[in-house]
Each structure stands twice: as structure tokens, then as C-alpha cells.
Amino acid sequence: LRPHQKDAIARTIYGQNTLIAHVVGAGKTYTMIASAMENKRLGHCNKSMVVVPNHIIEDFASDWLQLYPNANILISTEEDFNTHNRKVFCSKIATSNIDAVIIGHSQFEKIPLSIELQKKYIDNQLEDIVSEIIKTKFEEGSNFTVKQLTKTKKKLEYKLEKLNDQSQKDDVITFEELGCDMLFVDEADEYKNLFAYTKMRNVAGINQTEAKKSSDMLMKCKYIDEINKNGGIVFATGTPISNSMVELYTMQKYLQYNRLQELGLEQFD
């Protein structure tokens, strides 16, 4: 490992959540692998989940065994996430004494958080929006903003309704039950389309609609934050900002939401 890789690994061990924003070719893969294994060796985590683009799962695994030949890793295949195999694979993650599991971006989305946790996080979002609507009404805020926020509030309420109406629940293993307490996300820029409430119009990159996979990622990050005291998430991307400052704010929402709250900066404006 090169000095910059060791520095990044040290940051994940001594620091809190980490963004490895090294350029393409700087060895982010090795940095993430060594980070997962060293955190496990030092007892900072029990089992890592590594989320990578689907087409590089096998390459990532072979790099892992090159660095750590005795590592005990579980690798997902496309078949593992067919409806009838998914439960078996998730059970395997939950019951195996492994160092890490490597899964694809699209597969990660298919492992749900428990309905209770989803409700809790959506309720928090609703509280945020309601206080934002009140603030906007009292300030000289435009009618347009209130309309936008009210629309978002309705969408979230509909989401909650759908969660409450899970009478024919699919008996799946939830994300919490897997026992993964550290999360690594490669090509994390894939998750930059996160909704941001704002009074500003015509600002490039601000999403007024929410990508489902991004809101799912945010909820899972919040969960890992809770169980690992803001130290269990590592994002890696060569392009943390490609179009707009909003992308930096989005990364902060994933990786240091508590800090944003402390500073009163949960809202983009």
C-alpha cells in the first residue's frame, strides 16, 4: 500500500465516516478492502457490507483475496437476488461468521430496512418539511416554495400509508438482521440524486424529486450511524463533485448528518 492509501485507512480507523475521494487509478479498491479488514481485526466492526457496481463484484473479490488470502468473504451473484433465492442468501449473510459480504448496487436496494425504522425516518422527514413550510410562510417565502414542500409532504404521507398497509408482508430478512455494522460504498456518486428542500430556483443539480435508491441509502446510513456512533460508513468515488455544490451537501447528508444538525445546517438553503 502507498502512503495515501495508508492515510485513508487510518482515517477510517481513527476518524468518523469517511469519503475516499481519490482520483481514478489511485487504488481506492485496495484502500477499502484493507480498511474493512483492519477495522475488523481491531474489533471496530463485526461484519462489513461492501456495495459495488454489479459488473465488478468478481474483480473486487479477487483483489480482496490477493490482499488477504485467508479472508472469509461472501460474494453475491445475480441468481442470489432472484425472488426465491434472496431469502436464502440474506440468511447466509446473517448466520455466517464472515469478514465481509460483497453485493451489487442494485442488490443492496432489494434488502429492506424494517418497516418500523422506515416509518421513524419518514416521520423525521415529515417533521423537517412541516417546520420548513411554517418558516417559509412566516418569512417572505414565495407561494411556489410552500406548494413544492406541501407536494413533497403529501408524497411522504403516501409513502407512510403504503408502509402501514403491509398486510400481506413479504417475510424477508431486514437490513438490521444481517448483522452488518460497517458499510462501504464504491462509486458513491451513483447516489447523488437525493432530494433537497430549497427556496432557490434554477440552481443546477438541486433535485426536487427523490431517487428511491438514494433515499434508501440515506436511511441505511442513518441506521449504521446509530449503531456505530458515526464511524461505520466509507464512501469512495473519483467524482464527488461533477456538476454542482449540491453534490457536496448530499455527501455530507450521508456521512455527517449529525454534524449538519449540530450546526443547524440540515436544510440546503
Side-chain angles (χ1 to χ4, degrees), residues 19-127:
L19 172 64
I20 303 170
H22 295 169
V23 293
V24 176
K28 289 188 293 291
T29 299
Y30 271 18
T31 305
M32 290 167 79
I33 293 165
S35 195
M37 293 300 285
E38 294 309 304
N39 272 288
K40 163 99 183 195
R41 185 176 66 82
L42 293 163
H44 290 185
C45 74
N46 174 45
K47 191 190 298 178
S48 292
M49 174 169 280
V50 184
V51 185
V52 304
N54 295 22
H55 64 281
I56 65 163
I57 292 176
E58 284 178 23
D59 292 342
F60 209 98
S62 72
D63 280 346
W64 201 301
L65 294 173
Q66 206 169 355
L67 260 192
Y68 291 88
N70 298 323
N72 184 7
I73 54 174
L74 187 61
I75 305 153
S76 70
T77 64
E78 229 173 289
E79 289 73 49
D80 286 326
F81 275 79
N82 290 346
T83 316
H84 48 286
N85 292 340
R86 197 182 321 161
K87 200 173 167 186
V88 175
F89 185 72
C90 287
S91 305
K92 212 185 281 182
I93 302 172
T95 55
S96 306
N97 181 22
I98 50 172
D99 297 321
V101 55
I102 304 172
I103 69 170
H105 281 188
S106 62
Q107 299 165 342
F108 179 69
E109 229 183 305
K110 290 177 182 166
I111 304 172
L113 272 168
S114 67
I115 286 170
E116 294 71 39
L117 262 192
Q118 288 187 57
K119 279 181 187 168
K120 178 183 147 185
Y121 296 141
I122 292 172
D123 275 334
N124 290 349
Q125 268 182 294
L126 276 170
E127 276 172 36

Side-chain angles (χ1 to χ4, degrees), residues 248-266:
L248 185 58
Y249 170 71
T250 299
M251 285 295 172
Q252 288 178 294
K253 274 186 92 168
Y254 286 127
L255 298 170
Q256 49 180 177
Y257 192 71
N258 291 10
R259 186 74 184 120
L260 288 177
Q261 281 181 316
E262 280 168 29
L263 299 169
L265 298 172
E266 310 96 302

